[in-house]
Amino acid sequence: MVPAGSAFSDFLIGAIIVAALYFAREILVPIALAILLSFVLSPLVRALQRLNLPRSIAVLGAVSLAVAITFSLAAMVIVEVNQLANDLPRYQSTLSEKIHGLRDRAGSVSVLKNASSLLKDLNKELRSPGSNDDQTGKSSLSDGPAKNPIPVEIHQPDPGASEALIAVLRPLAAPFTTAGIVVIFLLFFLFQREDLRDRFIRLLGSEDLERTTTALDDAGQRLGKLLLTQLVLNATFGVLIGVGLVVIGVPNSPLLGLLATILRFIPYIGAILAAGLPIFLAAAVGSDWTMTLWTIALFAVVEPLIGQAVEPLLCGRSAGLSPVAVVVAASFWTWLWGPLGLLLSTPLTLCLVVFARHVDRLQFIDVLLGDQPALTPQQTAYQRMLAGDPIEAIEQARSFLKGRTAVAYYEEILLGALRLAEADAAQGRLDDARVKNIHETVSEIIEDIGSHEITDGKAVGEAPAKEGKIVSIDGRKLIKPVFCIPGLGRLDGCAALIVADALKRAGFNAHVSGAAIGIDVGNAETICICFLEQVSDARASFTVRKFSRRVPSAEIIVCRLGSTFEAEKEQQSDDGQRSLAAVVAAVAKGSSVKTRREQ
C-alpha cells in the first residue's frame, strides 16, 4: 500500500510535469522532434564514419541529406497543391452532376424529397407579402416620395510590395522557425551524442551504471527500431498508394502518396484518414463510380497487406506498448501538443514505458501501458478459478496445447494455479464457495482437454513394434487399475484429477477414488496418494503405512504436488514424487516389476 502523503506528492509532481509540458510546448516540441530525428540519422552517421569520414563531415552530410529530402518533398507538395487548387472548380461541377444523378435515380417518391418539398413550400408561404406590408406601403406613400440613401464605400489603399511580401511570408514564419530550431538541436544532439548520454546517466543515477545503461540501451534499441521500421513501412505504403492511384487515373497522385505516408504515422486511423481525399478526387474526376471503387479497393488491399503481413514480419514482437496504450497516448499527446503530439505520441510513450520498466517508483506505468501480460499464466488461471468462469482458462489451455502437451500444461500452469490457491487456503482466505468454484473449473478444464487425443506421445516404457508374427503387448494393459486418492486437504481432489488424467495419457488405467472404494476389495494394483498442501515426512510415512496394511500387495506412491521440484531440492527426503513426470515414471517402474513377477 502507498501512503496517502506519498501518493499525493506523486500526483502533485505529475500535475506539475504535465503543466510544464503544456506551457513549454513551443520549445519542447522542436526538442522532441530533434531527439527522434537523431535516432533516425544516427545509423547513417555511424555508416559514414566507418568510411573514415570525420565526425563533423558525417553529421553535416547526414543532416544536409535529410534537409534536402524535406525541401524536395515540400516543393513537390506546393506544386501539387497549386494544381489541385486550380482544378477544384472543375471537380466541383463534375461531383455536383454525379450527386444530381444519384438523386434522380433514387426516384421521385422518397421521404427526403417529400420533406424537402414541404420545407420549400413553407418557406414560400412565410416570405409571401401580407397585410402588414400593404399598410406599411400605404403609409410610406402618404408621407411623400421615398428618399434613397446614398451608398458609401470605403476602399483600402493598394498594399505596397513590402506589405504584400510580409502577407505572404507571415503564414510561413512559424513552420520555418520550428524547422530551423529542429535542425539546430539536431546538429547539437548528433555532435554531442556521447557527452549528452554521459550527462543523462549522471542525472539519472551514476551510482547504478549497469541499470541506467540497460535502460538507455533498451530505449535506444526499441525507439530506433520503431522509427526506422515505421519510416520504411509508411514510405512503402505511400509509394504503393501513389503508383496505384497513377494506374487508376486519380490526379495529383504524388501528393496523395506523400499524404498517405505522413498520415500513416497516426496510429490505427492514419490509413483511413489518408483514403479520404483520394476517394473524393476519384469521385469528382471519374465519369462514373468505377474509379472511386478502384480507389477504395486499393486502400482495402494495401493497408492490410502492409499492416497484417509485412509489418509483423519486420517488427516481430510489438515495440513494447499495448494497443490501449497507443490509443491513450495518442489522445493525451494530441491534447497536450496538438497535431505534432499525435505524430510523436507512440515514440514518446515508448520511451516513458521503457524507463518505467527500470525505475521502481514508475513500475505502474509499465504495468498500465506496457505490452507484457499483467498476470502470469498461473495467476490468470487461478483468477478464473476464483471467479468460477472456466471459459478463459479453457481458451488458455487450448492455446498452450497447440505447441505443447497436456501433461506440460498440467505441470506448468494448472498445478501452479492450484499452488496459489493452496497458499490462500492455508491462510484461511478461501471460503467453501470459492473452493467449489476451483473444483468445478479444474474438472471442466480436464474434461475439455480430454476431447484431445488421450495420449501425448509414445507411452513410457513402450517397446517398439517388430516385424513378423511377434506382437509386442504393453504390460500395463494387463495389470489392475491405478487408483488416485486425494489427501485430506481441501484442494487435494483437484490434484488427484490431474494425476489420473496424466496417467491415462501415459497409457495406464487410472481412476480417481475415495480411500475406501475399490481398495478394500483388493482391486488396486497401484495407489497414488495426492497431496497439494505442504505435507510433512511423518504424515506421508503414516499414510503409506496405513494403506500398506489395508492393501499389502499394492504399490503406494505419495505425490507431493504442492511445491515445485526446485523449491524442494534442499530437502533430501525421497518420500514422495514432486512432479507429474516423476509420478508417471514411478507408476511405470512399479507396474513393470509386477508384470515381470507375474510372468
Side-chain angles (χ1 to χ4, degrees):
M1 300 296 293
V2 180
S6 177
F8 178 76
S9 63
D10 292 343
F11 174 78
L12 186 61
I13 292 173
I16 293 173
I17 292 175
V18 172
L21 290 174
Y22 179 78
F23 290 107
R25 61 186 181 275
E26 297 296 334
I27 189 64
L28 292 179
V29 170
I31 293 176
L33 282 172
I35 292 175
L36 296 180
L37 288 176
S38 67
F39 280 100
V40 176
L41 295 180
S42 292
L44 179 58
V45 172
R46 289 194 294 267
L48 293 176
Q49 285 184 299
R50 293 192 190 99
L51 299 177
N52 296 325
L53 291 178
R55 183 175 182 82
S56 58
I57 301 298
V59 171
L60 291 176
V63 175
S64 300
L65 179 62
V67 172
I69 294 175
T70 303
F71 275 101
S72 300
L73 295 177
M76 184 190 72
V77 169
I78 293 174
V79 173
E80 294 291 335
V81 168
N82 288 332
Q83 182 180 354
L84 179 62
N86 295 329
D87 294 338
L88 277 180
R90 179 167 56 87
Y91 298 157
Q92 182 179 1
S93 61
T94 305
L95 189 60
S96 299
E97 293 177 0
K98 286 188 175 182
I99 293 176
H100 287 301
L102 285 177
R103 187 182 62 182
D104 295 338
R105 291 180 182 180
S108 58
V109 180
S110 63
V111 176
L112 294 178
K113 188 172 182 179
N114 293 336
S116 178
S117 301
L118 178 61
L119 290 176
K120 288 180 180 179
D121 294 339
L122 290 176
N123 189 27
K124 290 180 181 179
E125 292 293 333
L126 292 175
R127 290 180 179 273
S128 61
S131 58
N132 293 333
D133 295 338
D134 296 337
Q135 294 177 0
T136 303
K138 292 179 180 179
S139 62
S140 61
L141 291 175
S142 61
D143 292 340
K147 298 181 179 180
N148 295 327
I150 300 175
V152 178
E153 297 181 359
I154 300 175
H155 294 278
Q156 294 289 342
D158 295 334
S162 60
E163 294 179 354
L165 182 62
I166 292 175
V168 172
L169 295 180
R170 183 176 298 169
L172 303 177
F176 274 100
T177 302
T178 302
I181 296 175
V182 170
V183 172
I184 292 173
F185 277 116
L186 178 60
L187 288 172
F188 275 104
F189 289 155
L190 291 176
F191 274 118
Q192 304 292 328
R193 183 172 180 272
E194 288 76 12
D195 180 67
L196 291 174
R197 178 199 60 198
D198 296 340
R199 293 179 183 276
F200 194 69
I201 291 175
R202 175 68 181 274
L203 180 65
L204 289 181
S206 58
E207 297 82 4
D208 194 355
L209 288 176
E210 188 276 333
R211 195 171 186 179
T212 307
T213 303
T214 302
L216 286 177
D217 291 342
D218 192 8
Q221 291 176 1
R222 287 178 179 269
L223 190 58
K225 179 181 178 181
L226 173 67
L227 292 176
L228 289 175
T229 304
Q230 289 297 317
L231 181 61
V232 172
L233 290 175
N234 295 344
T236 304
F237 176 78
V239 170
L240 293 177
I241 292 297
V243 173
L245 293 177
V246 169
V247 174
I248 294 172
V250 179
N252 305 104
S253 298
L255 174 62
L256 299 177
L258 178 61
L259 184 64
T261 299
I262 297 174
L263 289 178
R264 199 178 183 276
F265 281 97
I266 301 176
Y268 296 113
I269 63 172
I272 299 176
L273 296 177
L277 184 57
I279 294 173
F280 171 78
L281 289 178
V285 172
S287 58
D288 53 13
W289 296 100
T290 304
M291 187 179 294
T292 305
L293 296 177
W294 276 111
T295 304
I296 296 174
L298 176 65
F299 279 90
V301 171
V302 174
E303 169 56 23
L305 179 65
I306 297 293
Q308 305 298 328
V310 180
E311 190 168 1
L313 184 63
L314 294 180
C315 297
R317 294 182 58 198
S318 62
L321 299 178
S322 64
V324 176
V326 174
V327 176
V328 172
S331 304
F332 174 77
W333 290 106
T334 303
W335 166 75
L336 203 62
W337 286 354
L340 287 177
L342 179 60
L343 295 176
L344 299 175
S345 60
T346 301
L348 292 176
T349 308
L350 174 63
C351 292
L352 180 62
V353 169
V354 171
F355 283 117
R357 191 169 297 165
H358 300 278
V359 179
D360 294 336
R361 294 192 66 180
L362 300 178
Q363 288 288 332
F364 69 96
I365 297 178
D366 183 31
V367 174
L368 291 176
L369 304 180
D371 62 342
Q372 299 297 326
L375 299 176
T376 64
Q378 294 82 1
Q379 291 172 335
T380 301
Y382 177 42
Q383 194 274 333
R384 291 294 85 197
M385 292 178 186
L386 291 176
D389 183 11
I391 297 177
E392 186 175 345
I394 290 174
E395 292 297 329
Q396 180 192 47
R398 291 178 178 176
S399 177
F400 187 94
L401 291 175
K402 292 180 180 178
R404 306 285 298 278
T405 63
V407 175
Y409 169 76
Y410 293 151
E411 192 77 71
E412 298 178 16
I413 296 181
L414 196 56
L415 282 176
L418 289 175
R419 292 182 187 115
L420 296 175
E422 179 59 34
D424 287 343
Q427 299 179 9
R429 297 177 179 176
L430 296 182
D431 55 13
D432 293 338
R434 292 288 176 84
V435 173
K436 181 180 179 181
N437 288 340
I438 293 173
H439 277 277
E440 293 178 351
T441 303
V442 172
S443 300
E444 292 190 27
I445 292 174
I446 295 176
E447 182 180 357
D448 182 82
I449 294 177
S451 61
H452 295 74
E453 187 179 358
I454 194 62
T455 57
D456 289 328
K458 189 176 179 180
V460 179
E462 183 177 353
K466 297 181 180 180
E467 298 181 358
K469 296 183 179 180
I470 301 177
V471 179
S472 177
I473 300 177
D474 191 353
R476 289 169 296 178
K477 298 180 180 180
L478 303 176
I479 63 175
K480 298 178 182 179
V482 178
F483 285 92
C484 300
I485 309 298
L488 299 179
R490 303 171 68 189
L491 299 174
D492 290 344
C494 298
L497 290 173
I498 295 174
V499 172
D501 194 73
L503 290 173
K504 289 178 182 178
R505 293 177 178 276
F508 293 97
N509 184 16
H511 300 278
V512 179
S513 172
I517 302 175
I519 295 178
D520 291 334
V521 297
N523 195 29
E525 184 73 23
T526 304
I527 299 175
C528 295
I529 307 172
C530 305
F531 291 100
L532 195 61
E533 61 178 349
Q534 298 294 331
V535 60
S536 62
D537 293 341
R539 182 177 175 183
S541 300
F542 172 76
T543 305
V544 171
R545 290 195 300 270
K546 182 179 68 173
F547 280 99
S548 297
R549 290 193 299 267
R550 181 175 298 177
V551 189
S553 61
E555 181 78 14
I556 309 297
I557 298 176
V558 177
C559 307
R560 292 181 171 185
L561 302 175
S563 302
T564 59
F565 180 72
E566 289 76 7
E568 300 289 341
K569 273 185 178 179
E570 297 180 357
Q571 298 185 9
Q572 300 299 323
S573 173
D574 293 332
D575 191 8
Q577 308 300 327
R578 306 184 187 278
S579 68
L580 289 179
V583 172
V584 174
V587 174
K589 181 180 178 181
S591 64
S592 300
V593 172
K594 291 180 181 296
T595 302
R596 287 195 297 269
R597 288 177 181 174
E598 291 178 359
Q599 292 175 348

